[in-house]
Amino acid sequence: LAAAFAALIASSGTWPLMSRPAIYEVENAAAFACFGAALFFWLQAEGRNARRRLALSAAAAGAALCLGCRPNYFPAVTVLLVAVLLRAWNSSRGPAPRARLISSALALAPAAAIGFGLAWWNYHRFDNPLDFGLEHTVSSDPAVIRPLASWSNLPYGLHRYALGAARLIRYF
């Protein structure tokens, strides 16, 4: 198990990128590594083992860390967290709804804690819990100056994620 996890992290490119001067590539590799780890732990929870709850919590934590590295992983992270929630709901020990709710809450608790921590950090750094520092990057693009992570962009962003399709134009 540990060797497979180490191979997954090593294959993401995170370690080689740590020594490169192009630090902006690290979050891409780290997001891939965290998402891969989340998938790995989610698959570990598929069996009838005693560590299912721990594996589901680790999957939720990996998904939340992935979202912290790259916010554009939001659709994939949402699908994975729904899968974790369904797995926790269906594998609870008792048929009572209370046992299922507790099992589901425990599985998603790490993701919620990481999400609240990230929102708190962003609020204290940029005065907005949804701002990941995009307007503070070094760029000559004037579009970066406008608040890319403001609350006003939330409806448009949700519409693009939920209903938007790939645009296969010449530029793409």
Side-chain angles (χ1 to χ4, degrees):
L1 181 66
F5 183 69
L8 177 72
I9 299 300
S11 70
S12 72
T14 303
W15 297 121
L17 286 175
M18 294 301 279
S19 64
R20 292 181 54 166
I23 195 71
Y24 61 87
E25 296 175 347
V26 172
E27 68 267 10
N28 296 325
F32 178 80
C34 290
F35 192 72
L39 288 175
F40 175 77
F41 286 115
W42 178 66
L43 289 173
Q44 288 297 312
E46 285 300 310
R48 292 280 181 199
N49 55 14
R51 296 183 185 148
R52 180 184 307 121
R53 190 174 289 168
L54 181 62
L56 286 173
S57 295
L65 289 172
C66 170
L67 194 60
C69 293
R70 295 296 299 165
N72 60 344
Y73 269 69
F74 179 74
V77 167
T78 301
V79 169
L80 183 58
L81 288 177
V82 167
V84 166
L85 177 66
L86 290 174
R87 181 67 178 139
W89 181 269
N90 291 330
S91 65
S92 66
R93 295 192 176 170
R98 183 173 186 210
R100 290 177 181 240
L101 285 173
I102 290 172
S103 178
S104 301
L106 287 174
L108 294 179
I114 291 169
F116 284 126
L118 183 61
W120 177 82
W121 177 252
N122 288 339
Y123 177 76
H124 284 286
R125 286 177 66 200
F126 308 117
D127 294 327
N128 185 348
L130 295 177
D131 189 351
F132 286 83
L134 294 175
E135 70 180 83
H136 304 286
T137 59
V138 178
S139 175
S140 61
D141 184 9
V144 176
I145 296 170
R146 66 187 172 99
L148 295 174
S150 72
W151 291 99
S152 62
N153 292 334
L154 192 62
Y156 173 78
L158 289 174
H159 175 265
R160 292 299 308 148
Y161 277 127
L163 303 173
R167 296 184 178 179
L168 301 176
I169 58 177
R170 226 171 42 160
Y171 174 77
F172 184 73

